[in-house]
Amino acid sequence: MRLLSQGVLGPDGVSFIPSVVRVGLSVHPSLEHIALDSLVEQKRIEISSRRDDVGRNQNQLRNIVMEDAMIVFSTLSYSGSSVFAKLKNHFDVVIIDEAAQAVESSVLVPLCHGCTQVFLVGDPKQLPATVLSNTAADAGYNRSMFQRFQAAGYPVHMLRTQYRMHPSICAFPSSEFYDSKLENFDGRLSTCVILCNYIFASVGTDTSMHIDEQELSKKRREAGMTIPPLDH
């Protein structure tokens, strides 16, 4: 994690490494060292070495680790667990990533613990909130809180610079979905060699897409590619 290797800037402009805890049922192996259970075990060993562990049970150690953390990572649903309910201190800031893909009720869960600021980060142009019930979707349950605020005229700050795509690939989504407002990072991506041609194909309900085999074969030869013929 970049956060743990490079740190963050403090109020004085000096970079520091914050204390971080990852809470949840399933933790990626790369984050095991900041998982709550791992940090609780470290705290238990630390306290035992000082021989002042009288009356310290697992739940108390969890509270100590959570209270000492500056940043806590969790899923929306798990933020409603007893681990958070037992905390005495409230959070100053709550940041919800992929907020445009979460239903409103899920977003409310971490806000129940109290906070002074909330940042919703997401892209309403991508996948909507996941709702399996058509009845619920028809009732508007698949609208995220991000979209509700946006529709109400709440100011939304758009991050315009993209770092992942080659500029020639970015041109299509920028013009089609983002009113040509995307800007390309002026770095190595703009100088990468394009290895082959690419095709944007419709995946909608219209299945009457026609392929010009001769034109496709020509493009294969130009790109030096060997691609099996498409099945109609």
Side-chain angles (χ1 to χ4, degrees):
M1 291 175 60
R2 187 186 308 172
L3 178 68
L4 297 177
S5 61
Q6 300 181 5
V8 295
L9 291 179
D12 55 359
V14 178
S15 179
F16 70 98
I17 305 297
S19 53
V20 179
V21 178
R22 170 66 170 91
V23 182
L25 297 176
S26 179
V27 179
H28 192 274
S30 64
L31 302 177
E32 188 64 36
H33 62 293
I34 61 170
L36 178 59
D37 289 343
S38 297
L39 295 176
V40 167
E41 180 62 19
Q42 294 177 25
K43 179 64 69 175
R44 186 190 65 78
I45 296 174
E46 174 188 333
I47 293 178
S48 297
S49 65
R50 299 200 305 262
R51 297 185 179 181
D52 59 354
D53 59 333
V54 178
R56 302 281 186 177
N57 58 35
Q58 196 79 351
N59 289 332
Q60 289 176 320
L61 292 176
R62 284 197 184 99
N63 289 343
I64 293 174
V65 172
M66 292 287 288
E67 295 285 358
D68 289 344
M70 297 186 66
I71 300 176
V72 177
F73 289 96
S74 171
T75 61
L76 293 176
S77 58
Y78 203 85
S79 65
S81 67
S82 59
V83 173
F84 289 85
K86 295 177 181 178
L87 295 178
K88 297 179 180 179
N89 298 328
H90 294 298
F91 293 95
D92 296 320
V93 179
V94 172
I95 302 175
I96 300 177
D97 193 19
E98 300 294 358
Q101 296 184 27
V103 297
E104 291 181 287
S105 56
S106 294
V107 172
L108 293 175
V109 176
L111 305 186
C112 293
H113 303 297
C115 62
T116 55
Q117 287 183 308
V118 179
F119 292 89
L120 302 180
V121 183
D123 186 352
K125 299 292 186 180
Q126 295 187 20
L127 294 175
T130 302
V131 175
L132 302 181
S133 169
N134 292 331
T135 302
D138 293 339
Y141 187 64
N142 62 342
R143 180 173 64 171
S144 65
M145 186 174 292
F146 188 111
Q147 290 173 302
R148 179 184 289 272
F149 283 146
Q150 188 177 36
Y154 199 84
V156 176
H157 178 69
M158 178 180 177
L159 302 179
R160 300 173 183 269
T161 305
Q162 70 86 18
Y163 300 83
R164 297 182 175 183
M165 295 177 285
H166 190 280
S168 63
I169 298 178
C170 175
F172 171 73
S174 179
S175 61
E176 187 72 15
F177 303 108
Y178 300 101
D179 299 324
S180 299
K181 293 180 179 179
L182 290 185
E183 299 174 359
N184 298 298
F185 172 64
D186 187 15
R188 65 181 184 85
L189 286 179
S190 60
T191 59
C192 287
V193 177
I194 300 179
L195 300 179
C196 61
N197 293 333
Y198 48 86
I199 299 174
F200 289 102
S202 172
V203 292
T205 57
D206 182 10
T207 59
S208 60
M209 184 175 66
H210 300 283
I211 303 296
D212 187 331
E213 290 288 355
Q214 291 184 347
E215 181 64 22
L216 187 59
S217 297
K218 178 182 178 183
K219 290 184 177 297
R220 292 196 197 107
R221 291 192 298 271
E222 291 175 350
M225 301 167 61
T226 302
I227 305 177
L230 296 176
D231 294 329
H232 295 290

